Amino acid sequence: MSSNETLTVPQQERLPKAWAGLFLIIGIICGLLTYLTVEHIDDVALSFSLSQALLLGPLLFVLSARPGKVLAASVFAVTSVLCLALLSATSIYRFGIDLSANAGLLFLLAGQAIIFAYILLPFFQTWLDDGDLSFSYEGLFVHSWNNGLLALVGLGFMWLFWLILFLFALLFESVGIDALITLLNEPMFDVSAKAGATALGIFIARDYERIVASLRAILFALLSILNPVFLVLAVGFLAALSFGGFEKLASVVSASATILSLITIGIILSNAVLRDGSEALAAGQPLRMATVVMLPALLFFSGFAAYAISLRIVDYGLTPERVWIAVGTGILAVYAIAYVTSLLFRDRWMAVCRRANVFIALAVAAIALIMQTPFADPFVLSARSQYERLITGAVDAESFDYGFMKFELGAPGREALERIREDSGIAERDVVISKLDLLAKSNEEGFGEDSPKLGPWGVKSPR
């Protein structure tokens, strides 16, 4: 597609100007309640889950509410955040209230909630547009990109607003008036004002739909420029790797997270060029062909990432970090396989891509929820994996990392250690008991030769 953006959704009624005040009040109230929740609720699980609901719920509402659809938007926002809050709270309770050794869990729970909400919101918005469950791909595509841009505009407005307040506060302070700087340093005002400004910024952005469409077109143009650059570098890397064979491939084993990030960027760039596939101008053909060529490269990258993380898991077992990387690799590999397979359909390949995008997106949303349940909790899975490694003799009792189990896996890790104390399998029981007794007296992390190393999300893991 050219810069003449043709992607459209059914024309929506302009938001009433009075809604600017409504959005502002919603933001301020929810910011205030979030502050009070954090300050006055000591239970970490309850405090975090309520705060998440109070911030994410209003965001879903201000992005989706429209005249005549306020009740539907309210029900959607409340239902979504209550479900996410319940899962977050139970995840934290399952890990254990003491998060001092792994506060990154909260970041990951918030990330999973945002992923789920970001995927689900366009489906709800498209349903509001069409009035049925057909979920047109054009509507899903536009809403997906627009929601991200609207949120960025809202955040940009908030930071600009805050910068103006801060600079004037410094100016007033220089003449002996410190009331404004004192107000800005008050956490209650800080959170409430920022939440209100963000909601107001989203209203302003929604009120100017053409501006958002222009921003989307500019973003697509910028991403399209990066597409050939990505392709050249990807092909160059694959060529360099092919000359070294498995000897050079071994160096990739520790770079699975890096490859995962590149695959994600590649898929975003591909979608920015292919878009909804409704237009195929001659001027865009070279770029489209470059994108088609890049799809097999992404498949190879997915294979490397899968090989890398599988080696780590086979050699050292599961850790939360490896669970998340493995899941991410699997999802991105499915994307790459679907895109490459679609090429076999020739003239219908774009239609296959569109269908794959919808089903994979729904699968990702489901996975984001399932990973917060006991069935796929990364900490539970990791504790079980490390436990099996010890009792089956995959790792000797002397070098097994007992500290990782206790300090990094929370309650699931400590429960596994209790099971090991009762029955260590084929591991040397005297060594196991000695290590556990030493661990019980220590508050330090890391036991044995497999000392924990910091992962990309702050999760320490053996090797």
Side-chain angles (χ1 to χ4, degrees), residues 427-444:
E428 298 179 52
R429 182 160 183 79
D430 292 342
V431 176
V432 170
I433 297 300
S434 173
K435 291 286 187 177
L436 291 177
D437 289 342
L438 178 62
L439 180 63
K441 300 175 183 177
S442 174
N443 290 321
E444 298 296 327

Side-chain angles (χ1 to χ4, degrees), residues 67 74 100 114 150 214:
S74 300
S100 58
I114 291 172
L150 289 169
S214 298

